[in-house]
Amino acid sequence: MKYIQAEYSGPLNGTVQIPGAKNSSLALLAAACLADDIVTLEGIPRIDDVRIISEICQDIGMEMKMEGGSVTIDPRWIHSAVIDPGKASSYRASYYFAGALLSKFGSVTIGMPGGDNFVSRPIDQHIKAFQALGAQVQIFEDYYVVEASELNGAEIYFDTITSGATINAMLAAVRAKGRTLLCNAAVDPEVVDTANFLNRLGARIYGAGTDRIRIEGVSYLNGGTHTVIPDRLIAGAFLMSAGINGGQVTVMDVIPEHLGSCLYKLQEIGIHIETGENHITAYGSGTLRATRIRTGMYPGFATDLQQPMTALLLQAKGKSIVTERVYPKRFAHVPQLRRLGAEIELRKESAFIRGGLPLQGGWVHATDVRAGTSLLLAGLAAEGNTCITGLEHIERGYEDVIGNFRSIGAKLSIRELDSQEMPDIINLQG
């Protein structure tokens, strides 16, 4: 078993190139199934979820080649719409294959979505959209089947704002007959990126980025080339790192508008922010102010930045309150931070943080990508060594987390667990 060892690192300084967005890439790779010719996607990160998609593509007959940051996909020879349940259940965004393959095959069999576990992450809005377009959905123990002899445009009103279901409905509606109207749609940059990609291939999607998206169905999609948007969530975490012990960190190849709520909060707690056309610099003074955070759907404060922000607020003297409105149970990182000496009390969907206390290194476990980022940031501020297991969860979202943090001065290394260390990792989940 491998783990990350983090040491107290002092102020972090340097520049980080931000990769293509994970959440957008997973949607784009599935969306490529809709094309009738070869597609090239630029900026796709080399992460574990993309590796699993490559295996799924091989299973269904879609050729996928990765060279550098470029991925070439040939969907012309897809022969199956049965997705291996084991592979589908290893990451959540596998559900996009349902929307992407349904219009071509009329029936898709796919495993229940897996990935990071935040307790309540239903797919009922996805099912609602499929059914509105004329599909039948059968749910089994570890997989589900979506069938439709024909997809027809419909007006769909989402009961809650959901980026995943908005994208999936868009994928299914692109080649449906007639007009589809998505109401109460998510406005996330990843939704806009997916719509832009599909429009580049010949789709007719209007209004992406607003809460009302209109799709005029087409019968054919061309091939084409598209560059994925930068990962705003990774960028946000690196900007936060400038505040852990003070420092100056610049993130390059970003779209500053995508990080609006995050940047405002960082300034509120005492981090100076400067933005350019495609870069952002964060200046940490070493002194942070406590604050209140409430997560929400975009353009609100991203739930995926809540966990690293919690680690940052451990350095802010006073009481901070973090309220999780998107996934109220998304606090698996809190017991682990407590192992390092953090004082955090959980009450329903809120974490009450007493900041400004010293942290002490120890053994902790990452249960998901962003929890791993939170523990890594806390480890850089703690005295002694912090050892983080669950490396496989972190690698789901980062192409080279160690190299990127090292480039700005973080003292990180990957170690192999030996038998003498085994007692230290017992009950880390507690």
Side-chain angles (χ1 to χ4, degrees):
M1 181 189 295
K2 293 182 179 180
Y3 64 90
I4 296 175
Q5 180 173 291
E7 303 175 41
Y8 178 83
S9 299
L12 302 180
N13 295 280
T15 299
V16 181
Q17 302 291 133
I18 299 302
K22 166 191 172 243
N23 290 342
S24 200
S25 295
L26 303 183
L28 296 176
L29 289 166
C33 294
L34 285 160
D36 294 300
D37 208 341
I38 296 172
V39 168
T40 300
L41 295 171
E42 304 284 355
I44 300 293
R46 288 180 172 271
I47 55 177
D48 278 358
D49 282 2
V50 171
R51 176 186 56 78
I52 295 167
I53 289 176
S54 178
E55 294 176 4
I56 290 174
C57 289
Q58 185 175 5
D59 292 344
I60 65 176
M62 185 163 77
E63 187 175 317
M64 175 175 160
K65 293 181 180 178
M66 295 191 70
E67 294 181 7
S70 179
V71 177
T72 302
I73 300 160
D74 188 346
R76 293 175 296 177
W77 315 113
I78 299 176
H79 56 70
S80 172
V82 177
I83 309 297
D84 180 275
K87 292 169 184 172
S89 65
S90 64
Y91 78 107
R92 181 158 180 80
S94 58
Y95 48 47
Y96 290 137
F97 278 100
L101 291 170
L102 185 57
S103 61
K104 277 191 174 182
F105 286 87
S107 178
V108 183
T109 300
I110 187 168
M112 289 296 183
D116 299 333
N117 181 14
F118 309 139
V119 182
S120 178
R121 304 183 76 185
I123 60 169
D124 60 304
Q125 297 302 297
H126 300 248
I127 294 170
K128 175 179 180 175
F130 293 149
Q131 290 174 333
L133 294 169
Q136 292 80 45
V137 182
Q138 297 181 71
I139 307 292
F140 299 93
E141 185 175 352
D142 60 349
Y143 70 96
Y144 60 105
V145 178
V146 186
E147 295 179 301
S149 56
E150 182 178 83
L151 293 174
N152 291 288
E155 186 167 327
I156 301 166
Y157 187 94
F158 293 108
D159 299 314
T160 185
I161 300 173
T162 158
S163 176
T166 298
I167 291 174
N168 223 351
M170 230 166 32
L171 296 180
V174 161
R175 297 182 68 142
K177 290 185 177 181
R179 173 181 296 180
T180 297
L181 194 61
L182 306 181
C183 304
N184 199 30
V187 300
D188 302 56
E190 294 77 14
V191 172
V192 178
D193 197 30
T194 305
N196 288 343
F197 166 60
L198 291 168
N199 284 343
R200 194 179 296 269
L201 303 184
R204 299 170 63 195
I205 303 172
Y206 308 93
T210 75
D211 64 358
R212 193 176 177 88
I213 301 174
R214 176 168 56 91
I215 303 126
E216 303 287 349
V218 298
S219 59
Y220 182 90
L221 289 178
N222 302 302
T225 300
H226 179 78
T227 301
V228 64
I229 58 172
D231 198 312
R232 60 191 170 102
L233 305 173
I234 289 179
F238 276 106
L239 292 172
M240 291 175 190
S241 73
I244 290 292
N245 298 310
Q248 176 181 330
V249 175
T250 298
V251 292
M252 297 295 298
D253 300 326
V254 295
I255 301 173
E257 291 81 3
H258 290 175
L259 284 144
S261 57
C262 174
L263 299 183
Y264 287 128
K265 275 299 173 183
L266 291 180
Q267 291 178 97
E268 188 178 296
I269 67 174
I271 296 175
H272 179 65
I273 298 292
E274 289 183 1
T275 62
E277 186 175 339
N278 67 342
H279 68 273
I280 307 169
T281 300
Y283 301 86
S285 64
T287 302
L288 300 178
R289 296 185 290 271
T291 192
R292 291 188 175 195
I293 302 284
R294 288 184 178 87
T295 67
M297 294 301 294
Y298 187 87
F301 194 90
T303 178
D304 283 338
L305 289 175
Q306 176 260 113
Q307 291 149 297
M309 190 67 172
T310 298
L312 179 59
L313 291 175
L314 293 175
Q315 306 304 307
K317 290 185 178 180
K319 179 183 283 187
S320 293
I321 303 174
V322 175
T323 300
E324 178 55 77
R325 292 288 173 81
V326 180
Y327 298 117
K329 302 294 185 181
R330 194 175 190 174
F331 288 111
H333 56 299
V334 168
Q336 305 302 317
L337 291 171
R338 287 174 180 154
R339 296 175 65 88
L340 304 179
E343 287 197 14
I344 306 174
E345 181 185 352
L346 292 179
R347 300 181 206 163
K348 296 184 178 179
E349 73 274 16
S350 295
F352 294 78
I353 303 163
R354 183 185 172 198
L357 302 177
L359 299 178
Q360 183 66 45
W363 285 90
V364 290
H365 180 72
T367 54
D368 62 79
V369 178
R370 314 304 169 184
T373 307
S374 174
L375 298 175
L376 194 153
L377 293 177
L380 298 178
E383 296 179 16
N385 295 332
T386 300
C387 302
I388 307 167
T389 59
L391 179 59
E392 67 279 5
H393 293 291
I394 299 174
E395 290 178 337
R396 286 190 54 239
Y398 285 94
E399 185 171 332
D400 183 16
V401 63
I402 301 298
N404 285 333
F405 272 99
R406 276 179 177 168
S407 73
I408 57 174
K411 296 178 181 177
L412 296 175
S413 57
I414 294 182
R415 303 290 183 91
E416 287 280 356
L417 193 68
D418 61 42
S419 57
Q420 292 181 339
E421 293 168 324
M422 286 300 292
D424 293 318
I425 65 168
I426 295 175
N427 296 324
L428 283 183
Q429 302 279 356

